[in-house]
Amino acid sequence: MKPKITLKDIARELDVSISTVSKALKNSKEISKDTKDRIKAFAKFYNYRPNNIALSLKNRRTKNIGVVIPDIVHHFFTTVFRGIEKYANSMGYNVIICISDESFDKEVINMEMLANGSIDGFILSLSAETQRKNDFTHLKELLDQGIPIVLFDRVTQDVACDKVVLNDVEISRESVEHFIGKGSEKIALITTDNYFNVSESRKDGYLEALKDNDIPFDENLILTLPHDLDNTKLITEFFEKNEIEAVLCVNEIFAVQCMSVIQQMGFRIPEDISIIGFTDGILSRFSSPKLSTVAQHGEKMGELAAKMLINRMESTEVVEEPFKTEIINATLIKRGSTIN
């Protein structure tokens, strides 16, 4: 008897992506005939059988929700999960969590595994690699097969489903205007790759605040950092080359790294340089000085995402309600890293 194989097995053996295997087995026009024939022949030889997700959902309910988050390093994602679990448990649901480690393949594999009759719906924040690839086939397939999905924070407009996001543009603008109100004009933005939707929205808010206050935009004052490396050298060079009075960081880790570098260079915080970072986590509250932050209210976001998912799963309406995008309003918390 041949062993049972998965999409991951086929992809590995034929040296193609999981997405290519999935599309080939569905006879997608995006895949060449030769590649489709090779994949289909391999799948047939090993008796590959796709997950019968729709049948599983039709016949029974598991009362389980699958949650896929990019990592557990960022405090924000742990608070979102806490909110999901709290609300889901109160409604009689269990929560199964997986970490994608910012990997497209791990995201696909985790969802394939959980969708095999284990869960009734997904709550998901897209991995870095998924946003970079701009490939959402695995999400669309699940939705087509009747599994509801709620995206939060890192979302895409290419997938029709419920979403929960932060008012990133508005809160970034408010943060920069706080700097300006205290006399700063040379304001830097430390961000990450532009395929992150949240980073681009925060950049938009930064640019709007400069424009609204007649401060010329200086592209040298934007530093783009990789999301997964030690950035000490890049940050040091950035502050050595530029005159900076304030800096907005798109996450807490970047902000704390900047504080360390700035202080080692002999600058005082906030007298010489003020700093605001996104995510009101443990690092922010125990840094020296304490970091001014954008509180993203992750627990509230998680609770709302769980509520939206469960409402859709339990709906008895013949015609489904239109998909919604709910917006969480962030809060600027002023601490010792800014002049209040």
Side-chain angles (χ1 to χ4, degrees):
M1 180 181 293
K2 298 184 181 73
K4 184 178 179 181
I5 63 169
T6 66
L7 291 179
K8 179 183 177 182
D9 297 325
I10 300 174
R12 184 180 62 248
E13 291 296 327
L14 299 182
D15 195 25
V16 296
S17 70
I18 292 174
S19 177
T20 297
V21 174
S22 178
K23 290 177 181 178
L25 293 175
K26 289 178 170 56
N27 210 32
S28 170
K29 294 179 180 178
E30 298 177 43
I31 310 301
S32 70
K33 183 178 184 302
D34 287 346
T35 301
K36 281 192 284 191
D37 289 346
R38 187 161 60 100
I39 290 171
K40 287 179 179 179
F42 188 92
K44 183 177 181 180
F45 181 78
Y46 283 98
N47 296 320
Y48 171 76
R49 294 289 182 272
N51 297 324
N52 196 344
I53 300 166
L55 181 61
S56 172
L57 285 177
K58 182 178 179 181
N59 291 340
R60 63 186 181 90
R61 295 284 295 278
T62 68
K63 300 290 281 188
N64 293 330
I65 292 172
V67 177
V68 183
I69 61 175
D71 65 51
I72 54 174
V73 173
H74 290 280
H75 178 77
F76 168 69
F77 290 118
T78 62
T79 60
V80 173
F81 177 69
R82 188 180 302 129
I84 293 170
E85 187 174 49
K86 182 178 178 181
Y87 183 82
N89 289 168
S90 74
M91 298 296 291
Y93 284 80
N94 299 309
V95 179
I96 302 171
I97 186 170
C98 291
I99 314 298
S100 68
D101 284 331
E102 303 288 13
S103 161
F104 172 81
D105 283 351
K106 281 197 71 174
E107 183 175 292
V108 173
I109 292 164
N110 286 336
M111 296 186 79
E112 180 188 56
M113 175 185 68
L114 293 178
N116 191 17
S118 301
I119 56 94
D120 297 334
F122 280 103
I123 298 173
L124 172 81
S125 187
L126 297 170
S127 73
E129 195 175 11
T130 300
Q131 291 201 299
R132 181 177 61 79
K133 284 175 172 285
N134 201 37
D135 185 348
F136 311 109
T137 306
H138 55 301
L139 303 181
K140 294 175 182 178
E141 288 176 354
L142 290 175
L143 289 165
D144 288 345
Q145 294 165 356
I147 293 187
I149 295 173
V150 175
L151 292 176
F152 74 90
D153 191 52
R154 299 188 195 170
V155 304
T156 174
Q157 298 308 310
D158 292 340
V159 177
C161 66
D162 294 313
K163 304 176 180 77
V164 188
V165 297
L166 199 71
N167 63 330
D168 285 300
V169 175
E170 292 79 7
I171 195 62
S172 293
R173 186 171 62 233
E174 180 184 336
S175 300
V176 175
E177 287 176 345
H178 174 62
F179 290 143
I180 295 170
K182 299 302 176 182
S184 297
E185 291 194 359
K186 299 183 187 311
I187 302 168
L189 174 70
I190 296 188
T191 185
T192 191
D193 304 283
N194 61 11
Y195 50 76
F196 287 103
N197 66 291
V198 292
S199 296
E200 280 300 279
S201 295
R202 291 165 192 175
K203 180 180 178 181
D204 289 343
Y206 164 84
L207 295 173
E208 284 183 12
L210 296 182
K211 183 178 179 181
D212 291 346
N213 289 274
D214 298 319
I215 296 176
F217 166 59
D218 182 354
E219 64 181 12
N220 293 320
L221 294 184
I222 293 185
L223 174 63
T224 300
L225 297 175
H227 68 274
D228 56 352
L229 298 174
D230 179 358
N231 299 301
T232 301
K233 185 174 183 292
L234 292 172
I235 294 170
T236 302
E237 291 173 351
F238 180 69
F239 282 97
E240 287 175 343
K241 292 177 181 177
N242 298 286
E243 183 183 347
I244 296 169
E245 298 170 330
V247 56
L248 175 65
C249 299
V250 299
N251 63 50
E252 181 182 56
I253 293 174
F254 285 179
V256 173
Q257 286 178 328
C258 284
M259 289 179 67
S260 176
V261 168
I262 289 168
Q263 290 172 322
Q264 287 178 10
M265 293 174 68
F267 293 107
R268 298 168 301 163
I269 301 172
E271 292 84 359
D272 299 322
I273 301 176
S274 294
I275 300 181
I276 295 174
F278 273 72
T279 303
D280 184 32
I282 296 173
L283 294 177
S284 302
R285 293 192 289 272
F286 288 97
S287 62
S288 180
K290 289 181 171 59
L291 179 66
S292 294
T293 60
V294 172
Q296 297 171 262
H297 306 300
E299 192 163 336
K300 182 178 180 182
M301 182 177 284
E303 182 177 336
L304 182 53
K307 184 176 183 180
M308 294 173 76
L309 181 66
I310 291 171
N311 284 348
R312 191 163 289 279
M313 291 189 305
E314 295 187 346
S315 174
T316 57
E317 298 294 325
V318 176
V319 179
E320 286 193 356
E321 290 187 16
F323 294 120
K324 298 177 182 177
T325 297
E326 298 285 355
I327 300 173
I328 301 289
N329 291 318
T331 305
L332 178 59
I333 299 177
K334 301 165 189 175
R335 297 196 182 100
S337 68
T338 54
I339 298 172
N340 298 322

